[in-house]
Amino acid sequence: MKNLNIFFLVIFACNSIMMFGQKNVQGKIVYEQRIESANYLKSYNLYFDSEKSYYEEKVKANLEKSQTKEEDGTTFYATRDNKKPQFYFNSTDKGFFFSEVILNKHLFVKEDFKLKWELSNEIKSIGEYKCQKATTNFRGRKYTVWYTTEIPVVFGPWKLHGLSGLILQAHDDKNYFQINVKNISVNSDSQMKVTDFSEEDLSTAMSVPVFIETKIKLQEEFIAKLSSRLPQGAAPLQIDKNCKDCGEELEYFEEK
């Protein structure tokens, strides 16, 4: 009976691949992403075709203005910059890119990593999709994901990818970071744009070590700017690298 079940699972997976493989499968997935330190949910869209995926935060087109008054009576308005975190993966050339907004500076980064997955026999349903469990260790955290071979692409939310089906749900072992699917739309005939990264963004993307250095430099410049506005004689502000109240890092990059 066990061998028979395995046989039917193999047949089902092959049929799924054949069904989607006949055309250039494309889709849009909506996720909710939560980081414990932020204590609120953000909505993200994942766009994909058979070769590449693009994951970005959903930002409202019309953002409310905030009003500020200066001491001289001058009033000015400010809106949130619509720059947003982005993640782009091209499976044909194994290229992974991400962008991060640091103090209103949009930094584009190319990185090279491969997730090593441990597959489990555990199965559960998410919506109408049968999903399988897998785990991996990545930059200081252990992640558990649920993926479905019924959508046979190697993509997933954030930086999680490399399985034989689309990742629908993910969390780390402390539930500090959680991602849950909210809507699934797969259409073999659609012609959606998969990425907003320009060729210039991709060709000029910095390495991870340069990104880390740039991030630290921007933070130091910001602190120095704040210190310059302190009353004369006040001690300059400093970054406390051992801060216990600053929250955890999502990723712990290796020092290079």
Side-chain angles (χ1 to χ4, degrees), residues 211-240:
F211 164 70
I212 295 172
E213 292 174 4
T214 304
K215 182 177 180 178
I216 293 172
K217 182 179 178 181
L218 288 172
Q219 291 171 338
E220 291 175 342
E221 289 176 349
F222 178 70
I223 293 298
K225 186 176 181 179
L226 291 179
S227 295
S228 68
R229 297 178 179 177
L230 293 174
Q232 188 173 1
L237 300 173
Q238 294 184 347
I239 298 175
D240 183 1

mmCIF file of all heavy atoms in Angstrom, residues 211-240:
data_model
loop_
_atom_site.group_PDB
_atom_site.id
_atom_site.type_symbol
_atom_site.label_atom_id
_atom_site.label_comp_id
_atom_site.label_asym_id
_atom_site.label_seq_id
_atom_site.Cartn_x
_atom_site.Cartn_y
_atom_site.Cartn_z
ATOM 1 N N PHE A 211 27.358 46.234 0.609
ATOM 2 C CA PHE A 211 26.064 46.633 1.178
ATOM 3 C C PHE A 211 26.171 46.833 2.687
ATOM 4 O O PHE A 211 25.664 47.821 3.234
ATOM 5 C CB PHE A 211 25.022 45.564 0.861
ATOM 6 C CG PHE A 211 23.771 45.655 1.684
ATOM 7 C CD1 PHE A 211 22.863 46.695 1.518
ATOM 8 C CD2 PHE A 211 23.501 44.692 2.652
ATOM 9 C CE1 PHE A 211 21.712 46.774 2.290
ATOM 10 C CE2 PHE A 211 22.352 44.757 3.417
ATOM 11 C CZ PHE A 211 21.461 45.808 3.240
ATOM 12 N N ILE A 212 26.829 45.897 3.377
ATOM 13 C CA ILE A 212 26.981 46.000 4.830
ATOM 14 C C ILE A 212 27.773 47.256 5.195
ATOM 15 O O ILE A 212 27.397 48.007 6.110
ATOM 16 C CB ILE A 212 27.661 44.738 5.389
ATOM 17 C CG1 ILE A 212 26.755 43.521 5.180
ATOM 18 C CG2 ILE A 212 27.982 44.904 6.874
ATOM 19 C CD1 ILE A 212 27.420 42.201 5.529
ATOM 20 N N GLU A 213 28.858 47.520 4.468
ATOM 21 C CA GLU A 213 29.671 48.708 4.718
ATOM 22 C C GLU A 213 28.870 49.984 4.464
ATOM 23 O O GLU A 213 28.941 50.946 5.241
ATOM 24 C CB GLU A 213 30.919 48.688 3.823
ATOM 25 C CG GLU A 213 31.911 47.593 4.170
ATOM 26 C CD GLU A 213 33.051 47.524 3.169
ATOM 27 O OE1 GLU A 213 33.091 48.390 2.260
ATOM 28 O OE2 GLU A 213 33.894 46.612 3.275
ATOM 29 N N THR A 214 28.093 49.989 3.377
ATOM 30 C CA THR A 214 27.297 51.166 3.026
ATOM 31 C C THR A 214 26.212 51.421 4.068
ATOM 32 O O THR A 214 25.948 52.567 4.453
ATOM 33 C CB THR A 214 26.646 50.983 1.641
ATOM 34 O OG1 THR A 214 27.664 50.712 0.670
ATOM 35 C CG2 THR A 214 25.868 52.224 1.228
ATOM 36 N N LYS A 215 25.589 50.360 4.540
ATOM 37 C CA LYS A 215 24.542 50.465 5.563
ATOM 38 C C LYS A 215 25.104 51.086 6.843
ATOM 39 O O LYS A 215 24.502 52.008 7.420
ATOM 40 C CB LYS A 215 23.962 49.082 5.842
ATOM 41 C CG LYS A 215 22.828 49.057 6.844
ATOM 42 C CD LYS A 215 22.282 47.637 6.988
ATOM 43 C CE LYS A 215 21.141 47.573 8.001
ATOM 44 N NZ LYS A 215 20.587 46.192 8.104
ATOM 45 N N ILE A 216 26.270 50.617 7.279
ATOM 46 C CA ILE A 216 26.904 51.154 8.483
ATOM 47 C C ILE A 216 27.277 52.617 8.286
ATOM 48 O O ILE A 216 27.066 53.469 9.170
ATOM 49 C CB ILE A 216 28.152 50.327 8.847
ATOM 50 C CG1 ILE A 216 27.732 48.911 9.268
ATOM 51 C CG2 ILE A 216 28.952 50.996 9.956
ATOM 52 C CD1 ILE A 216 28.898 47.955 9.463
ATOM 53 N N LYS A 217 27.810 52.950 7.100
ATOM 54 C CA LYS A 217 28.208 54.326 6.810
ATOM 55 C C LYS A 217 27.008 55.270 6.839
ATOM 56 O O LYS A 217 27.073 56.372 7.412
ATOM 57 C CB LYS A 217 28.884 54.390 5.440
ATOM 58 C CG LYS A 217 29.389 55.785 5.077
ATOM 59 C CD LYS A 217 30.069 55.788 3.717
ATOM 60 C CE LYS A 217 30.526 57.184 3.347
ATOM 61 N NZ LYS A 217 31.169 57.209 1.998
ATOM 62 N N LEU A 218 25.888 54.857 6.248
ATOM 63 C CA LEU A 218 24.686 55.697 6.242
ATOM 64 C C LEU A 218 24.172 55.918 7.663
ATOM 65 O O LEU A 218 23.739 57.022 8.019
ATOM 66 C CB LEU A 218 23.605 55.049 5.380
ATOM 67 C CG LEU A 218 23.829 55.077 3.869
ATOM 68 C CD1 LEU A 218 22.781 54.220 3.155
ATOM 69 C CD2 LEU A 218 23.787 56.504 3.334
ATOM 70 N N GLN A 219 24.214 54.873 8.475
ATOM 71 C CA GLN A 219 23.763 55.004 9.867
ATOM 72 C C GLN A 219 24.669 55.953 10.646
ATOM 73 O O GLN A 219 24.186 56.789 11.428
ATOM 74 C CB GLN A 219 23.735 53.624 10.531
ATOM 75 C CG GLN A 219 22.652 52.702 9.989
ATOM 76 C CD GLN A 219 22.773 51.281 10.488
ATOM 77 O OE1 GLN A 219 23.852 50.841 10.906
ATOM 78 N NE2 GLN A 219 21.679 50.533 10.436
ATOM 79 N N GLU A 220 25.967 55.852 10.429
ATOM 80 C CA GLU A 220 26.914 56.734 11.119
ATOM 81 C C GLU A 220 26.735 58.179 10.684
ATOM 82 O O GLU A 220 26.800 59.106 11.512
ATOM 83 C CB GLU A 220 28.351 56.268 10.853
ATOM 84 C CG GLU A 220 28.680 54.946 11.528
ATOM 85 C CD GLU A 220 30.052 54.416 11.163
ATOM 86 O OE1 GLU A 220 30.614 54.875 10.131
ATOM 87 O OE2 GLU A 220 30.566 53.546 11.878
ATOM 88 N N GLU A 221 26.501 58.394 9.390
ATOM 89 C CA GLU A 221 26.275 59.750 8.894
ATOM 90 C C GLU A 221 24.996 60.344 9.480
ATOM 91 O O GLU A 221 24.940 61.536 9.804
ATOM 92 C CB GLU A 221 26.194 59.738 7.358
ATOM 93 C CG GLU A 221 27.528 59.464 6.680
ATOM 94 C CD GLU A 221 27.389 59.353 5.165
ATOM 95 O OE1 GLU A 221 26.225 59.285 4.677
ATOM 96 O OE2 GLU A 221 28.431 59.316 4.484
ATOM 97 N N PHE A 222 23.968 59.530 9.630
ATOM 98 C CA PHE A 222 22.710 59.992 10.203
ATOM 99 C C PHE A 222 22.891 60.387 11.667
ATOM 100 O O PHE A 222 22.406 61.442 12.107
ATOM 101 C CB PHE A 222 21.659 58.894 10.077
ATOM 102 C CG PHE A 222 20.328 59.241 10.676
ATOM 103 C CD1 PHE A 222 19.510 60.198 10.092
ATOM 104 C CD2 PHE A 222 19.896 58.612 11.844
ATOM 105 C CE1 PHE A 222 18.278 60.522 10.649
ATOM 106 C CE2 PHE A 222 18.668 58.929 12.403
ATOM 107 C CZ PHE A 222 17.864 59.893 11.814
ATOM 108 N N ILE A 223 23.607 59.560 12.427
ATOM 109 C CA ILE A 223 23.860 59.866 13.838
ATOM 110 C C ILE A 223 24.699 61.135 13.966
ATOM 111 O O ILE A 223 24.455 61.983 14.848
ATOM 112 C CB ILE A 223 24.569 58.684 14.530
ATOM 113 C CG1 ILE A 223 23.627 57.471 14.600
ATOM 114 C CG2 ILE A 223 25.035 59.068 15.921
ATOM 115 C CD1 ILE A 223 22.371 57.703 15.400
ATOM 116 N N ALA A 224 25.690 61.293 13.084
ATOM 117 C CA ALA A 224 26.529 62.491 13.117
ATOM 118 C C ALA A 224 25.707 63.750 12.819
ATOM 119 O O ALA A 224 25.911 64.805 13.430
ATOM 120 C CB ALA A 224 27.669 62.360 12.106
ATOM 121 N N LYS A 225 24.750 63.628 11.895
ATOM 122 C CA LYS A 225 23.880 64.757 11.551
ATOM 123 C C LYS A 225 23.006 65.141 12.739
ATOM 124 O O LYS A 225 22.812 66.323 13.035
ATOM 125 C CB LYS A 225 23.019 64.399 10.336
ATOM 126 C CG LYS A 225 22.188 65.556 9.801
ATOM 127 C CD LYS A 225 21.440 65.146 8.544
ATOM 128 C CE LYS A 225 20.628 66.313 7.999
ATOM 129 N NZ LYS A 225 19.899 65.923 6.755
ATOM 130 N N LEU A 226 22.469 64.141 13.426
ATOM 131 C CA LEU A 226 21.661 64.417 14.615
ATOM 132 C C LEU A 226 22.504 65.062 15.715
ATOM 133 O O LEU A 226 22.059 65.993 16.399
ATOM 134 C CB LEU A 226 21.037 63.123 15.139
ATOM 135 C CG LEU A 226 19.939 62.467 14.293
ATOM 136 C CD1 LEU A 226 19.458 61.187 14.968
ATOM 137 C CD2 LEU A 226 18.765 63.422 14.078
ATOM 138 N N SER A 227 23.734 64.578 15.876
ATOM 139 C CA SER A 227 24.620 65.117 16.909
ATOM 140 C C SER A 227 24.947 66.581 16.661
ATOM 141 O O SER A 227 25.098 67.365 17.603
ATOM 142 C CB SER A 227 25.915 64.296 16.973
ATOM 143 O OG SER A 227 25.652 62.967 17.384
ATOM 144 N N SER A 228 25.040 66.942 15.373
ATOM 145 C CA SER A 228 25.382 68.326 15.031
ATOM 146 C C SER A 228 24.284 69.309 15.426
ATOM 147 O O SER A 228 24.522 70.513 15.496
ATOM 148 C CB SER A 228 25.666 68.447 13.534
ATOM 149 O OG SER A 228 24.472 68.240 12.780
ATOM 150 N N ARG A 229 23.098 68.802 15.688
ATOM 151 C CA ARG A 229 21.974 69.668 16.044
ATOM 152 C C ARG A 229 21.757 69.746 17.553
ATOM 153 O O ARG A 229 20.842 70.430 18.012
ATOM 154 C CB ARG A 229 20.696 69.149 15.368
ATOM 155 C CG ARG A 229 20.760 69.188 13.853
ATOM 156 C CD ARG A 229 19.487 68.622 13.226
ATOM 157 N NE ARG A 229 19.537 68.677 11.781
ATOM 158 C CZ ARG A 229 18.586 68.197 10.970
ATOM 159 N NH1 ARG A 229 17.511 67.636 11.511
ATOM 160 N NH2 ARG A 229 18.701 68.294 9.667
ATOM 161 N N LEU A 230 22.588 69.027 18.305
ATOM 162 C CA LEU A 230 22.471 69.071 19.760
ATOM 163 C C LEU A 230 22.977 70.397 20.309
ATOM 164 O O LEU A 230 23.790 71.081 19.665
ATOM 165 C CB LEU A 230 23.265 67.921 20.373
ATOM 166 C CG LEU A 230 22.747 66.498 20.095
ATOM 167 C CD1 LEU A 230 23.727 65.468 20.653
ATOM 168 C CD2 LEU A 230 21.363 66.294 20.696
ATOM 169 N N PRO A 231 22.540 70.779 21.501
ATOM 170 C CA PRO A 231 23.037 72.021 22.119
ATOM 171 C C PRO A 231 24.550 71.967 22.298
ATOM 172 O O PRO A 231 25.132 70.890 22.468
ATOM 173 C CB PRO A 231 22.327 72.050 23.482
ATOM 174 C CG PRO A 231 21.115 71.192 23.298
ATOM 175 C CD PRO A 231 21.512 70.122 22.320
ATOM 176 N N GLN A 232 25.196 73.130 22.254
ATOM 177 C CA GLN A 232 26.651 73.191 22.394
ATOM 178 C C GLN A 232 27.071 72.593 23.732
ATOM 179 O O GLN A 232 26.495 72.866 24.777
ATOM 180 C CB GLN A 232 27.120 74.652 22.305
ATOM 181 C CG GLN A 232 28.632 74.796 22.250
ATOM 182 C CD GLN A 232 29.058 76.242 21.998
ATOM 183 O OE1 GLN A 232 28.214 77.121 21.889
ATOM 184 N NE2 GLN A 232 30.353 76.480 21.895
ATOM 185 N N GLY A 233 28.066 71.738 23.675
ATOM 186 C CA GLY A 233 28.565 71.099 24.882
ATOM 187 C C GLY A 233 27.960 69.740 25.153
ATOM 188 O O GLY A 233 28.450 68.994 26.007
ATOM 189 N N ALA A 234 26.886 69.381 24.462
ATOM 190 C CA ALA A 234 26.251 68.073 24.659
ATOM 191 C C ALA A 234 27.112 66.971 24.060
ATOM 192 O O ALA A 234 27.773 67.159 23.036
ATOM 193 C CB ALA A 234 24.868 68.051 24.023
ATOM 194 N N ALA A 235 27.117 65.837 24.698
ATOM 195 C CA ALA A 235 27.908 64.704 24.197
ATOM 196 C C ALA A 235 27.313 64.193 22.896
ATOM 197 O O ALA A 235 26.090 64.101 22.766
ATOM 198 C CB ALA A 235 27.928 63.589 25.233
ATOM 199 N N PRO A 236 28.147 63.892 21.893
ATOM 200 C CA PRO A 236 27.626 63.399 20.610
ATOM 201 C C PRO A 236 26.952 62.044 20.777
ATOM 202 O O PRO A 236 27.308 61.252 21.648
ATOM 203 C CB PRO A 236 28.884 63.287 19.740
ATOM 204 C CG PRO A 236 30.008 63.133 20.714
ATOM 205 C CD PRO A 236 29.619 63.950 21.919
ATOM 206 N N LEU A 237 25.970 61.784 19.930
ATOM 207 C CA LEU A 237 25.275 60.502 19.949
ATOM 208 C C LEU A 237 26.188 59.414 19.384
ATOM 209 O O LEU A 237 27.033 59.680 18.529
ATOM 210 C CB LEU A 237 23.995 60.584 19.121
ATOM 211 C CG LEU A 237 22.966 61.627 19.572
ATOM 212 C CD1 LEU A 237 21.840 61.707 18.555
ATOM 213 C CD2 LEU A 237 22.408 61.272 20.947
ATOM 214 N N GLN A 238 25.980 58.197 19.837
ATOM 215 C CA GLN A 238 26.777 57.072 19.360
ATOM 216 C C GLN A 238 25.882 55.867 19.131
ATOM 217 O O GLN A 238 24.846 55.711 19.789
ATOM 218 C CB GLN A 238 27.877 56.715 20.368
ATOM 219 C CG GLN A 238 28.942 57.791 20.527
ATOM 220 C CD GLN A 238 30.058 57.345 21.468
ATOM 221 O OE1 GLN A 238 29.917 56.354 22.177
ATOM 222 N NE2 GLN A 238 31.162 58.074 21.455
ATOM 223 N N ILE A 239 26.276 55.030 18.189
ATOM 224 C CA ILE A 239 25.552 53.791 17.921
ATOM 225 C C ILE A 239 26.000 52.739 18.917
ATOM 226 O O ILE A 239 27.191 52.444 19.045
ATOM 227 C CB ILE A 239 25.800 53.298 16.483
ATOM 228 C CG1 ILE A 239 25.295 54.326 15.470
ATOM 229 C CG2 ILE A 239 25.120 51.952 16.251
ATOM 230 C CD1 ILE A 239 25.601 53.973 14.032
ATOM 231 N N ASP A 240 25.057 52.182 19.657
ATOM 232 C CA ASP A 240 25.349 51.135 20.628
ATOM 233 C C ASP A 240 25.209 49.779 19.940
ATOM 234 O O ASP A 240 24.111 49.277 19.721
ATOM 235 C CB ASP A 240 24.389 51.237 21.817
ATOM 236 C CG ASP A 240 24.701 50.210 22.905
ATOM 237 O OD1 ASP A 240 25.674 49.436 22.728
ATOM 238 O OD2 ASP A 240 23.967 50.173 23.906
#
